[in-house]
Amino acid sequence: MFKQIIQTKGVSKMLFGIDTRNDDDWWIGVKAPDIRHLSKYESLMFQGNGYLGIRGALEERYLNEKRDMFVMGSFDKFQDEATELPNLPDIVNMEIQVDGKLLSLNHGIVTNYSRGLNLKNGEIVRSFDWQIEDIKLHFKFRRFVSMADCHLFVSKVEVTPLNRNIRLQIKSGIDGQQTNFGTQHFVESTKRLFNARFVQMQTHTQQSQVKFALTEYHRLFLDEEELSLNPHLEINRRQIFANYSVDLVKNQELVFIKYATVFSSTDKDLQKNVSEDSLIELKQVGRMDYQELLRQSSQVWDETIWNDCLVEISAHNNKPQIAVNFARYQLLANMPHDFGMNIGAKGMTGEGYKGHAFWDTEIFMLPFFMFNIPQFAQNLLIYRYLGLIGAKRKAHQGGYQGAQYPWEAAMPTDAESAPLWGNADIITGEPMKILSGSTEQHVTGDVAFGVTQYLKATNDQTFAKRMGYEIILQCAKFWASRITWNNEKNRYEITDVIGPDEYKEHASNDAFTNYMAHWCMKQGAEIISDLRQNDLRTYEKLNKKINLEKLFRSLILKSAMLYVPAPNADSVIPQDDDYLSYKKINIDKYKKTNKNFDIFKDFDLKQLDKLQVTKQADVLLLLLLFEDDFSKEVLDKNWDYYEPKTTHDSSLSFSSHAILANDLGLYNRAFDYFENSCQIDLGKNMDSSIMGLHMAGLAGVWKVVVEGFGGVRIDHDNLRIQPHIPKTWNYLRYSIIWQTKKLNILVTHRHFSIVADGRVKFIHQKRIYQLEPDERLTIEL
Ligand code: BGC
């Protein structure tokens, strides 16, 4: 029986490029030192609290490492390069010498190695024995970024010589010689010592002039007795280190604790100035021990985070559970602590995409936050409200009206932050112009779509009136000015855009873009008419900023005349005007390699532009977002048409395919695509995450579990729950928040049961159910 199950499709056979434990759903790590793939592990073992983000580089240095530490929202721009999150001076480093021999996993004999990240509280623990010549030692490193105090990083090392007395030297400090792959964003700094113990670096970014103070304090304990040792200071260009030297007898344990605080002039909680705040705070926390500070941080994780977002999967093995825990951990560790910021496509987990945010936020990440911690979702949308300034400027620069959101967003008030040039073309050898910034315009519909979803899920009227409606109306106004009249065809059209399929750089009437624009204009018109009838106060307030009657007339007229490509005779929605006339090729060989952009070994972008090959869920995503508008036949036919033509060269693609496949009853395909989603970062491809994790892909893991298998969807204005779990799972349990009520849902193969802490209405199989507070309803499947 057991063997049979293993053969069955639907059993998780996920292969991870990192170790996991069968009995621990919250641990990822490595059981042997693997110096070849440091960068992958640095991304996977990211630690953060939404303010501070630190890659999981090892304490001691290695050649192929990429140390990165970012402060959310502290963007800087270097000459002609694109704005980016500057890589801060490193505070993680430790150089350890044993009788003059430098600790390195490349030398000596390493045994009993284990390094892991606890996904529940973000602590990294590494332990091993190291033998160098005739000396044997035991090391244990631990560290965390505090969820209880966003400025705080704490790290601890325990060292025990196992076979003889030794002299131990530890050098630890602040190393400002970091760059963003060569670009140094920080000016030479002020480095100094306070009270003979606290080392501090003050610096600022070159262009944006964001000031930083980083302060470190160290404590040493020998056999639990604190040593009163002042450091020997070492100061170099952009570096300040504290050196300690201690004699240890055999079996004596030295404990070394590093406390570090990071403050920036962008902090809203700044009391005096970055330098003083950093020092004062460090003096306070430096009195507490590591365990107590970790306890405080873990408590915040438990009480204000994990309590609010339950996902429990009982399956053949714990890989799916680990994958969804990993995904949620990373989303939460990267969730801005403040409302003026957004989550970059790679969060703060690496330098990829320079910290910029995309449509990834509204279409992929927002649902996780709005269904779990709506306050966080609101923060992300406030960022877009603040971004209206930049978006209006971008629209104006392009000769349009309203607000046009940037394809790549950095500071909310910036207009477009996308770089202009990319890699060299493999055929011509010339650098390729990146057109997304000017041409990938659907983001302006996606932002409005996200706001609407949030309003439906939360019923947050205050946000709607203060900010939400204005965002949607400004987006609608943009579309009304962006569409162009085609005299011959007697209709409005949208020409020359890039849709989600970025292989097509000059698409006309791209289905995704046209539907989004059409929906957005209709939504704008509905809001105006609704406010006019029901909320004159808000109407008048908005009317002072936007001429609502004029906008209303233009939205009604233009949305009615905008061409939205309907399904053709074969029920297929043309991806754009030309796609269906392009040559078809078989792309199986590129799909099999599971490596992104393999197709570019054979074709350049100009060639792909003229082939029926699609980069990621495009028409299929459209069908998923607007599923109520299409029949099952249209969904089936488009799946059959586009799925074989999609390379999944974007991490955004798998989750949409998984959810749609589950909806269509293609359960094995859904499960395969779910596994693909889980493996984007955790999988065996050791190059996939070196520049950082794929935040939208991670959100996609949660989406497949809760929106796909758990069946949670917004159907018009209602909550719909239509679950179907993979056949080898025993059950799925999850919670969501719907219009301020918390729902707990348990799904098995035969039934699902649901209980809520307030009165809730939901739809299942087209029937409306009304749930009373604390009543448990069980529905047969
Ligand atoms: C995808 C975009 C996405 C971006 C950032 C690209 O590869 O095609 O849709 O927004 O990555 O994740």
Side-chain angles (χ1 to χ4, degrees):
M1 178 62 192
F2 186 64
K3 273 202 180 121
Q4 232 176 348
I5 291 180
I6 292 181
Q7 303 302 329
T8 315
K9 266 275 188 193
V11 170
S12 172
K13 50 190 177 327
M14 274 188 268
L15 295 176
F16 287 165
I18 192 152
D19 294 323
T20 57
R21 293 173 177 157
N22 294 338
D23 60 349
D24 190 344
D25 300 339
W26 296 93
W27 188 89
I28 57 158
V30 281
K31 293 175 190 154
D34 185 355
I35 301 302
R36 286 167 310 157
H37 300 122
L38 281 183
S39 278
K40 167 107 175 174
Y41 303 132
E42 286 163 2
S43 297
L44 294 181
M45 294 201 212
F46 169 84
Q47 297 176 306
N49 56 21
Y51 170 79
L52 203 58
I54 304 184
R55 272 165 74 82
L58 298 175
E59 283 75 5
E60 67 278 7
R61 290 203 172 77
Y62 294 92
L63 264 184
N64 51 341
E65 67 180 15
K66 185 70 194 89
R67 288 176 183 270
D68 275 320
M69 177 165 93
F70 303 110
V71 161
M72 181 74 89
S74 63
F75 286 98
D76 188 48
K77 185 166 161 41
F78 194 77
Q79 288 169 7
D80 295 332
E81 299 183 30
T83 305
E84 66 184 335
L85 270 188
N87 183 9
L88 281 157
D90 173 54
I91 52 176
V92 172
N93 66 80
M94 276 185 207
E95 194 178 292
I96 299 181
Q97 292 190 39
V98 183
D99 280 356
K101 291 160 197 72
L102 195 65
L103 170 68
S104 164
L105 300 174
N106 286 324
H107 303 295
I109 302 167
V110 181
T111 46
N112 299 325
Y113 191 87
S114 157
R115 179 171 194 246
L117 170 68
N118 179 345
L119 299 169
K120 201 139 202 209
N121 67 1
E123 189 192 23
I124 293 178
V125 179
R126 174 167 67 130
S127 64
F128 59 92
D129 294 332
W130 186 55
Q131 184 172 351
I132 185 84
E133 296 173 5
D134 66 331
I135 316 168
K136 226 180 159 183
L137 303 106
H138 177 71
F139 285 93
K140 184 164 187 178
F141 292 83
R142 305 173 63 178
R143 65 191 217 217
F144 66 96
V145 167
S146 175
M147 250 313 163
D149 173 354
C150 71
H151 302 284
L152 180 64
F153 167 80
V154 194
S155 139
K156 176 178 179 179
V157 196
E158 296 157 14
V159 190
T160 319
L162 299 175
N163 63 342
R164 72 162 171 82
N165 304 349
I166 57 156
R167 162 154 288 206
L168 194 76
Q169 283 161 281
I170 302 183
K171 174 167 146 182
S172 163
I174 306 163
D175 181 0
Q177 289 186 4
Q178 313 303 318
T179 64
N180 286 65
F181 282 106
T183 295
Q184 173 56 269
H185 282 278
F186 292 95
V187 297
E188 172 57 315
S189 45
T190 310
K191 295 148 289 195
R192 62 159 294 183
L193 188 68
F194 291 93
N195 306 86
R197 294 293 296 272
F198 297 85
V199 290
Q200 186 176 83
M201 180 180 284
Q202 292 174 46
T203 181
H204 65 82
T205 52
Q206 307 251 17
Q207 173 259 344
S208 58
Q209 301 278 315
V210 179
K211 289 190 194 127
F212 285 92
L214 305 96
T215 317
E216 257 185 36
Y217 169 59
H218 307 105
R219 289 173 75 185
L220 293 88
F221 298 83
L222 203 51
D223 285 339
E224 297 183 12
E225 269 304 289
E226 180 152 14
L227 304 177
S228 123
L229 270 186
N230 286 345
H232 165 69
L233 215 58
E234 185 182 325
I235 297 185
N236 308 311
R237 266 181 97 169
R238 290 186 168 83
Q239 291 180 322
I240 177 164
F241 296 110
N243 283 286
Y244 302 88
S245 184
V246 185
D247 290 321
L248 296 182
V249 298
K250 182 180 157 188
N251 288 332
Q252 199 173 28
E253 183 187 69
L254 177 88
V255 176
F256 179 84
I257 307 180
K258 166 180 354 217
Y259 304 80
T261 54
V262 179
F263 277 76
S264 97
S265 54
T266 58
D267 300 344
K268 299 227 168 70
D269 59 350
L270 214 55
Q271 307 284 319
K272 295 187 170 169
N273 56 54
V274 287
S275 166
E276 282 188 67
D277 280 29
S278 179
L279 188 63
I280 291 167
E281 167 128 354
L282 194 57
K283 284 183 176 170
Q284 281 165 9
V285 293
R287 291 195 205 109
M288 285 184 251
D289 68 16
Y290 178 93
Q291 211 51 40
E292 171 55 18
L293 291 166
L294 177 65
R295 192 197 59 72
Q296 290 176 6
S297 173
S298 309
Q299 191 175 356
V300 178
W301 273 103
D302 283 340
E303 288 174 11
T304 63
I305 298 182
W306 295 123
N307 260 354
D308 285 333
C309 41
L310 170 79
V311 178
E312 194 184 308
I313 300 168
S314 165
H316 170 82
N317 65 33
N318 67 349
K319 290 272 172 70
Q321 180 74 62
I322 292 172
V324 77
N325 288 350
F326 174 74
R328 291 180 302 152
Y329 163 80
Q330 294 294 354
L331 286 162
L332 293 159
N334 280 285
M335 174 62 220
H337 69 298
D338 198 356
F339 51 74
M341 295 150 199
N342 201 327
I343 308 179
K346 307 254 179 220
M348 293 188 285
T349 65
E351 290 178 27
Y353 288 127
K354 302 175 185 300
H356 297 173
F358 295 67
W359 68 313
D360 304 31
T361 299
E362 280 75 14
I363 301 298
F364 295 89
M365 297 183 229
L366 191 75
F368 168 75
F369 293 109
M370 98 196 167
F371 279 128
N372 289 295
I373 310 179
Q375 180 60 48
F376 285 173
Q378 195 200 60
N379 281 354
L380 293 172
L381 297 178
I382 295 178
Y383 168 90
R384 292 299 192 182
Y385 181 74
L386 299 174
L388 276 174
I389 299 176
K392 282 186 194 166
R393 200 163 64 245
K394 176 164 169 144
H396 185 72
Q397 283 162 357
Y400 306 121
Q401 294 173 10
Q404 182 185 10
Y405 279 98
W407 175 246
E408 294 191 28
M411 291 303 284
T413 47
D414 288 348
E416 182 57 62
S417 298
L420 291 179
W421 296 100
N423 294 337
D425 183 305
I426 53 141
I427 309 276
T428 65
E430 286 171 14
M432 290 188 289
K433 200 156 190 210
I434 298 179
L435 295 180
S436 300
S438 58
T439 318
E440 198 148 359
Q441 299 174 352
H442 60 85
V443 58
T444 295
D446 308 331
V447 169
F449 186 84
V451 172
T452 307
Q453 295 289 98
Y454 167 82
L455 294 180
K456 289 181 181 183
T458 59
N459 198 16
D460 182 350
Q461 291 299 317
T462 315
F463 175 76
K465 290 174 190 175
R466 283 209 194 134
M467 303 178 193
Y469 292 150
E470 190 174 339
I471 297 176
I472 299 168
L473 291 172
Q474 292 289 8
C475 291
K477 191 171 172 187
F478 162 73
W479 287 116
S481 71
R482 168 63 180 87
I483 60 179
T484 47
W485 181 250
N486 181 330
N487 233 343
E488 258 168 51
K489 298 201 168 144
N490 201 31
R491 66 188 192 194
Y492 281 104
E493 297 190 336
I494 304 179
T495 51
D496 199 10
V497 293
I498 301 178
D501 171 14
E502 293 171 331
Y503 296 159
K504 310 286 173 289
E505 292 208 303
H506 299 283
S508 282
N509 295 315
D510 167 68
F512 188 93
T513 308
N514 283 31
Y515 271 90
M516 262 301 170
H518 182 251
W519 166 86
C520 184
M521 289 196 288
K522 276 183 63 182
Q523 187 65 21
E526 264 173 41
I527 290 173
I528 297 175
S529 135
D530 186 55
L531 291 178
R532 200 198 289 123
Q533 280 173 39
N534 305 316
D535 183 359
L536 270 181
R537 237 178 109 195
T538 310
Y539 181 91
E540 286 309 334
K541 201 185 95 194
L542 284 167
N543 202 27
K544 284 191 189 129
K545 298 186 179 178
I546 311 166
N547 181 337
L548 290 185
E549 277 322 297
K550 188 168 164 218
L551 180 61
F552 181 74
R553 282 195 301 277
S554 120
L555 293 178
I556 292 288
L557 174 82
K558 291 185 171 173
S559 61
M561 299 296 280
L562 174 64
Y563 165 61
V564 278
N568 64 15
D570 299 322
S571 297
V572 171
I573 296 178
Q575 188 180 295
D576 59 46
D577 278 353
D578 303 309
Y579 189 93
L580 298 185
S581 65
Y582 293 150
K583 193 175 154 201
K584 294 180 185 162
I585 60 161
N586 186 318
I587 58 164
D588 287 352
K589 81 169 190 193
Y590 308 112
K591 284 188 165 194
K592 270 187 205 133
T593 64
N594 264 340
K595 287 229 154 134
N596 278 359
F597 304 117
D598 246 26
I599 199 163
F600 281 91
K601 287 186 185 148
D602 295 330
F603 300 98
D604 72 359
L605 204 53
K606 275 211 180 91
Q607 294 166 320
L608 282 178
D609 200 28
K610 300 279 177 278
L611 293 174
Q612 288 200 42
V613 179
T614 297
K615 181 181 178 187
Q616 64 195 75
D618 182 306
V619 171
L620 294 185
L621 177 61
L622 161 72
L623 296 179
L624 198 56
L625 298 182
F626 296 102
E627 58 182 321
D628 310 330
D629 298 349
F630 301 99
S631 67
K632 167 91 167 55
E633 195 206 335
V634 171
L635 297 184
D636 281 333
K637 288 283 164 58
N638 281 276
W639 171 275
D640 292 345
Y641 196 82
Y642 287 108
E643 191 270 347
K645 298 179 177 62
T646 307
T647 56
H648 308 294
D649 262 352
S650 157
S651 60
L652 277 50
S653 195
F654 291 136
S655 60
S656 309
H657 280 80
I659 299 172
L660 198 55
N662 212 52
D663 287 356
L664 296 179
L666 305 169
Y667 299 124
N668 289 340
R669 303 302 310 277
F671 196 74
D672 287 345
Y673 274 121
F674 167 64
E675 293 207 320
N676 287 336
S677 303
C678 296
Q679 291 171 121
I680 293 167
D681 289 306
L682 284 173
K684 279 269 173 206
N685 179 350
M686 302 313 276
D687 299 331
S688 70
S689 316
I690 52 183
M691 297 288 281
L693 303 175
H694 303 78
M695 301 311 292
L698 292 167
V701 173
W702 176 88
K703 274 166 79 70
V704 182
V705 173
V706 172
E707 296 186 348
F709 303 141
V712 168
R713 230 56 77 73
I714 299 179
D715 181 339
H716 298 98
D717 287 341
N718 299 305
L719 171 66
R720 191 178 76 213
I721 305 180
Q722 194 78 49
H724 184 285
I725 57 171
K727 62 183 167 210
T728 54
W729 288 14
N730 302 316
Y731 67 79
L732 163 68
R733 198 193 293 276
Y734 63 88
S735 66
I736 54 165
I737 293 178
W738 176 257
Q739 300 187 346
T740 70
K741 271 69 125 225
K742 185 160 181 182
L743 283 69
N744 277 295
I745 298 151
L746 170 72
V747 188
T748 69
H749 294 282
R750 298 231 177 116
H751 65 262
F752 75 101
S753 71
I754 164 166
V755 60
D757 61 5
R759 182 173 288 178
V760 169
K761 197 173 78 181
F762 70 95
I763 299 177
H764 173 73
Q765 294 286 26
K766 301 203 162 74
R767 203 180 131 188
I768 297 178
Y769 292 83
Q770 182 85 41
L771 200 61
E772 294 304 317
D774 299 323
E775 176 198 5
R776 178 174 289 279
L777 190 70
T778 301
I779 298 175
E780 298 297 316
L781 288 172

